[in-house]
């Protein structure tokens, strides 16, 4: 679990939600309690501890998860508490038949033994604290050539979704792209960047991650800093993005044209990838090579065309040339470059073609996501 920054550094526009019910740990074994507290901390979860079975009666039905030590299983069973799901019993030796009998008497969902079951229990702690939320829609955006406008589209898509009331994380997977925090105008905001998360592994706390990311305009952004780290271990990036998907409604990824192993895993996890292609002959030729790599990693790649074509290419023409479906065409927006230079993020002009196009894309992608989840 990465070291999280102090609460005073959390992004100022973060909204505190009511604290969820905490998992309940019942044991008087100090060594076992130390192990359970360590696992909970690794999952970014606070737990409630009871050292007497009769102290849990009022909490039994309310907490999301009960983890009982083998030393208290018999006493808990003797209380005659109603059967409930999400009760786990932790034993010390898997050849101790008495532990299994106690598990049956308690109505335990599963009997666990350390150290083999420690990673599974850490994930279960996090699941219980974060609830049974569906995973967010994850959409990637990549340029068909350099300067195609992928970072602008990714940011505008995230800002548009946030202004619609969705919870959004915007993540920069392109270490050579200059930094999405600059496009968003959040380069001065404090919070975690990719280098702070380079040691991540296993399951991260989703709420803790979202709260520690810098942000602006109601969304959180995960960007690169200005240091020397230019890549992430695939396992670390996957752990971070998995937490991001549990934390919100939509995750938007700004992807490099030539992905490293971490970005390849991210592409494969996307529901859809948007390939941004200016309506130019040379851009179409360059995008064709990028499209070949993308389609080997993800099934749904859609073309988003931009600008006015001097050669008369239309959006459907570009999509047909690439053999991919057309997501939308974005007409030229003359004031966009000036707005970006002033530090104004894209996605705020409700009448501009960029916001209108992002709205159309969101309508389609979210409708399809809900259909898949149903």
């Amino acid at each position: 679990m990465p070291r999280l920054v102090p609460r005073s550094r959390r992004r100022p526009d973060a909204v505190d939600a009511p604290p969820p019910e905490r998992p309940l740990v019942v044991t008087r074994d100090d060594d076992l309690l130390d192990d359970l507290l360590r696992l909970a901390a690794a999952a970014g979860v606070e737990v409630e501890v009871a050292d007497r079975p009769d102290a849990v009666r009022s909490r039994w039905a309310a907490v999301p998860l009960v983890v009982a030590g083998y030393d208290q299983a018999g006493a808990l069973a003797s209380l005659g508490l109603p059967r409930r799901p999400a009760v786990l019993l932790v034993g010390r030796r898997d050849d101790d038949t008495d532990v299994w009998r106690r598990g049956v008497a308690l109505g335990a969902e599963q009997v666990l033994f350390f150290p083999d079951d420690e990673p599974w229990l850490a994930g279960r702690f996090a699941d219980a604290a974060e609830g049974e939320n569906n995973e967010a829609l994850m959409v990637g955006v990549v340029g068909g050539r350099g300067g195609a406008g992928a970072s602008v589209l990714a940011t505008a898509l995230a800002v548009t979704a946030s202004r619609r009331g969705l919870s959004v994380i915007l993540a920069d997977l392109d270490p050579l792209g200059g930094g999405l925090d600059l496009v968003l105008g959040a380069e001065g905001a404090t919070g975690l960047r990719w280098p702070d998360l380079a040691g991540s592994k296993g399951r991260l706390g989703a709420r803790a991650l979202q709260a520690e990311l810098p942000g602006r305009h109601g969304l959180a952004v995960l960007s690169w800093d200005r240091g020397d780290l230019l890549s992430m271990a695939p396992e670390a990036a996957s752990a971070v993005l998995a937490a991001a998907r549990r934390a919100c409604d939509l995750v938007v990824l700004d992807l490099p044209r030539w992905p490293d192993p971490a970005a390849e895993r991210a592409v494969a996890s996307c529901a859809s990838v948007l390939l941004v292609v200016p309506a130019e002959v040379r851009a179409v030729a360059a995008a064709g090579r990028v499209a070949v790599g993308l389609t080997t990693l993800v099934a749904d790649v859609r073309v988003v065309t931009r600008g006015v074509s001097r050669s008369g290419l239309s959006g459907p023409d570009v999509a047909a040339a690439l053999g991919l479906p057309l997501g939308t065409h974005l007409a030229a927006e003359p004031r966009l470059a000036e707005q970006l230079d002033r530090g104004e993020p894209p996605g705020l002009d409700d009448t501009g073609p960029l916001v209108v196009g992002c709205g159309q894309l969101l309508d389609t992608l979210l409708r399809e996501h809900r259909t898949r989840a149903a």
Side-chain angles (χ1 to χ4, degrees):
M1 178 70 184
R3 177 182 174 273
L4 297 181
V5 295
R7 183 177 294 272
S8 61
R9 288 185 57 199
R10 290 185 178 182
R11 56 189 178 91
D13 60 343
V15 177
D16 290 333
E21 292 282 356
R22 295 175 295 171
L24 178 64
V25 169
V26 189
T27 184
R28 300 186 69 177
D29 184 304
D30 289 339
D31 291 336
L32 178 58
L33 180 59
D34 287 343
D35 286 338
L36 293 172
L37 292 178
R38 171 176 54 81
L39 291 176
V45 173
E46 292 184 359
V47 299
E48 184 178 346
V49 179
D51 60 2
R52 301 190 328 274
D54 58 350
V56 311
R57 191 182 295 275
S58 63
R59 310 291 298 129
W60 181 256
V63 297
L65 176 70
V66 177
V67 181
Y70 63 93
D71 60 306
Q72 297 298 306
L76 278 174
S78 68
L79 293 177
L81 296 167
R83 295 295 173 119
R84 53 154 291 167
V87 176
L88 307 176
L89 176 61
V90 182
R92 279 301 187 188
R93 302 193 328 271
D94 59 7
D95 61 350
D96 183 355
T97 57
D98 189 50
V99 172
W100 295 98
R101 285 196 295 268
R102 292 181 184 185
V104 171
L106 183 61
E109 174 185 312
Q110 194 158 343
V111 179
L112 310 177
F113 299 95
F114 291 172
D116 291 349
D117 292 323
E118 287 186 2
W120 186 89
L121 181 55
R124 192 62 185 270
F125 271 136
D127 284 339
E130 293 170 2
E132 299 296 329
N133 295 327
N134 293 326
E135 287 195 333
L137 168 65
M138 189 153 75
V139 179
V141 184
V142 62
R145 66 156 170 79
S151 295
V152 170
L153 178 60
T155 304
L157 198 66
V159 170
T160 302
S162 179
R163 294 179 68 209
R164 288 185 170 195
L166 297 177
S167 174
V168 185
I169 292 178
L170 174 63
D172 187 356
L173 271 293
D174 187 358
L176 302 179
L180 268 187
D181 52 352
L182 286 169
V183 182
L184 189 62
E187 64 274 15
T190 56
L192 296 177
R193 264 74 175 181
W194 275 117
D196 300 309
L197 298 162
S200 302
K201 59 182 179 179
R203 183 185 177 103
L204 307 186
R207 290 192 181 96
L209 174 69
Q210 187 179 34
E212 300 292 352
L213 295 178
R216 194 179 177 202
H217 297 286
L219 63 91
V221 60
L222 177 53
S223 187
W224 298 87
D225 62 9
R226 310 298 178 251
D228 297 331
L229 183 67
L230 297 177
S231 64
M232 286 284 289
E235 295 78 12
S238 295
V240 171
L241 292 178
R245 291 185 68 184
R246 297 193 306 274
C248 60
D249 303 310
L250 174 68
V251 178
V252 181
L253 306 181
D254 185 17
L255 298 165
R257 286 185 295 143
W258 306 114
D260 60 12
E264 284 186 350
R265 284 198 187 183
V267 171
S269 298
C270 288
S272 301
V273 173
L274 306 176
L275 178 61
V276 185
V277 187
E280 305 164 1
V281 173
R282 290 185 63 191
V284 175
R289 301 181 66 184
V290 178
V292 170
L294 290 175
T295 53
T296 63
L297 297 171
V298 63
D300 185 16
V301 180
R302 310 182 192 196
V303 175
V304 175
T305 52
R306 293 190 63 196
V308 178
S309 174
R310 294 184 178 87
S311 57
L313 284 175
S314 66
D317 292 335
V318 173
L322 294 171
L324 296 170
L326 178 66
T328 193
H329 174 75
L330 302 174
E333 198 157 339
R335 295 181 299 168
L336 182 59
E338 180 183 342
Q339 292 170 349
L340 293 174
D341 286 341
R342 291 199 303 264
E344 299 176 9
L348 298 178
D349 182 1
D350 290 334
T351 62
L354 184 58
V355 173
V356 173
C358 285
Q360 294 170 347
L361 287 169
L362 283 171
D363 288 340
T364 300
L365 293 170
L366 289 169
R367 182 175 63 250
E368 293 172 354
H369 180 63
R370 287 192 293 267
T371 300
R372 287 192 297 268

